[in-house]
Amino acid sequence: MATTTEFQPRALVRASGGPRYAVALVVDALGTGLLRPFLLLYGVTVLRLSAPVTGIAMTAGVVVGLVCMPVVGRWLDRGARSTVVAASMLVRVLGVVLLLAAPAGHVWLFATAALFLGIGNQAWPAAHAALVATVAHGRERDAALAGGRALRNAGLGVGALLATACLAGGTAALQALAAVTGLAYLAAAALAWSVHLRTYPATPPAADGAGEPAPRMRALLAANVIYVFCLNVPEIALPLILVTQLHASPVWSAAIFVANTVLVVSLQVPVTVLMSRFSRRTVLALAGVVLAASYLGFLAATSLGSGWGAPAVATVSVVCTIGEIIYAGSATALVTALAPAHLLGRALARFQLSTGFGLAVSPAVITALATRGSAALWGGLAAATLLSASAVATEKDQGTRLSDR
């Protein structure tokens, strides 16, 4: 098995789509970081909607946005690449325009804006992965996908910090942030479209009158729904536990979130490259084991009480972040390796459906389990994740392409 032991930054940029596309990723992430963490606040403060109504509208936008994924998958399989990425950014421009046009108390315009933002947010990961898979191959592609995630997390973090600094301006500041976000999406779309990347032809091979079958990936897709819970642990589970059960200062939650972002930005590429000596499926199963171990660590940490509990939770969160990094570096890469070239778009769309579904249901599941105590929350997550890791490890790679073995 070919492995990647080092990767030069310049080569990583080329493998990720080139300098213009890298700039597009940064601009798009900055715009997303400016608005997405404060979209709920925009609905409540600027549009004067109730918090429950705003939350329901946002959730509906995310869930309904998943409906577009089959269309995105077929579009990608027709050969489109940079055009789909640009479209995912442009549709979010429309969402921002509707957000700015919505009068106070108008929930339907806000819900429509959240829908378009949700469509763009759901379509982008699959389109981006397809573009990188077209430019790079083998382990180079894995590193490029990891580099894109690190770059995006850096942009999101900087955007969120800038937005936080501007929040003292009240509703006018929120509206200005939304306007800047729309301009950022527009600029990013123009840069992504200028790459002009597509594949020719995007049709199945004619050998024996049939192409390679689409990989089933049933165990992988089902396991991914559980795996993605780790992405909401720093944002939802840990703040909930720290504040309500350990009665710790909210500073601990903020510090954990910042540490998570810094670790992902700095370690995503090195860890992915380091893991390239193993098969992607083995690495993904290992990610589940690490995540399950961190969940059990959280269970032990919360039992220490309010004195040592918060520092212990912060320490264990580093292990959880390492598990997240291993998962993120192997999951999408495994899907791109399993799928035949002419079905790559549909495979990535199905994977994004499982990711989006997991992200949509995880807040409700986490909060419901937390009300039953730490054992139910962390024990339940650990058991489900270990079961998912076992399913990933035992599923056969029937659709793996020879060039990626």
Side-chain angles (χ1 to χ4, degrees):
M1 178 183 296
T3 61
T4 303
T5 56
E6 59 179 317
F7 216 91
Q8 298 300 322
R10 189 172 298 177
L12 187 62
V13 171
R14 287 197 303 269
S16 301
R20 275 181 299 173
Y21 187 69
V23 174
L25 291 186
V26 173
V27 174
D28 178 74
L30 280 170
T32 303
L34 287 173
L35 180 62
R36 193 165 73 180
F38 308 104
L39 186 57
L40 178 66
L41 191 60
Y42 189 98
V44 173
T45 305
V46 178
L47 301 184
R48 299 176 185 175
L49 303 173
S50 68
V53 168
T54 306
I56 291 172
M58 291 173 59
T59 302
V62 173
V63 174
V64 177
L66 289 171
V67 176
C68 76
M69 290 314 301
V71 176
V72 172
R74 288 192 292 271
W75 192 6
L76 289 170
D77 286 338
R78 293 191 182 101
R81 290 294 184 267
S82 56
T83 303
V84 185
V85 175
S88 72
M89 297 170 177
L90 281 175
V91 75
R92 282 179 286 178
V93 174
L94 182 57
V96 172
V97 170
L98 290 174
L99 201 63
L100 291 170
H106 203 299
V107 65
W108 288 110
L109 266 182
F110 177 80
T112 306
L115 171 62
F116 283 116
L117 291 170
I119 290 173
N121 290 332
Q122 297 297 339
W124 182 86
H128 166 70
L131 186 147
V132 173
T134 303
V135 176
H137 304 280
R139 294 297 180 171
E140 182 185 61
R141 180 188 59 232
D142 296 16
L145 288 169
R149 182 172 191 259
L151 201 62
R152 183 166 179 80
N153 274 270
L156 288 170
V158 172
L161 286 175
L162 290 173
T164 302
C166 296
L167 285 182
T171 58
L174 283 171
Q175 289 175 312
L177 287 174
V180 173
T181 297
L183 292 174
Y185 286 153
L186 188 61
L191 286 167
W193 179 81
S194 70
V195 174
H196 295 304
L197 180 66
R198 62 174 292 118
T199 59
Y200 298 96
T203 55
D208 300 325
E212 297 175 75
R216 292 178 180 271
M217 303 190 301
R218 290 176 180 172
L220 174 59
L221 296 177
N224 186 56
V225 174
I226 304 299
Y227 270 82
V228 296
F229 275 54
C230 72
L231 302 179
N232 275 331
V233 165
E235 297 184 31
I236 296 173
L238 295 187
L240 185 64
I241 294 299
L242 286 167
V243 173
T244 63
Q245 295 187 13
L246 297 180
H247 307 290
S249 169
V251 172
W252 283 105
S253 301
I256 289 172
F257 182 79
V258 171
N260 173 272
T261 302
V262 171
L263 287 172
V264 169
V265 171
S266 59
L267 296 181
Q268 185 66 71
V269 174
V271 170
T272 301
V273 171
L274 180 65
M275 292 289 105
S276 66
R277 65 191 64 191
F278 307 107
S279 73
R280 298 176 181 90
R281 188 172 290 279
T282 299
V283 175
L284 186 55
L286 174 64
V289 174
V290 174
L291 288 171
S294 73
Y295 296 154
L296 294 177
F298 287 132
L299 177 59
T302 53
S303 67
L304 298 177
S306 58
W308 291 97
V313 167
T315 302
V316 176
S317 70
V318 175
V319 180
C320 185
T321 299
I322 297 299
E324 174 192 334
I325 289 170
I326 298 173
Y327 156 70
S330 56
T332 304
L334 177 58
V335 174
T336 60
L338 288 173
H342 66 284
L343 295 173
L344 177 62
R346 270 166 277 195
L348 288 170
R350 289 168 60 199
F351 181 73
Q352 181 58 29
L353 276 171
S354 71
T355 300
F357 179 75
L359 290 174
V361 302
S362 57
V365 173
I366 287 172
T367 52
L369 290 174
T371 60
R372 298 179 178 272
S374 293
L377 173 60
W378 301 118
L381 287 179
T385 305
L386 281 176
L387 183 63
S388 299
S390 176
V392 167
T394 55
E395 188 178 38
K396 294 182 179 180
D397 294 344
Q398 294 178 342
T400 305
R401 291 176 286 176
L402 292 175
S403 60
D404 288 319
R405 286 180 181 173

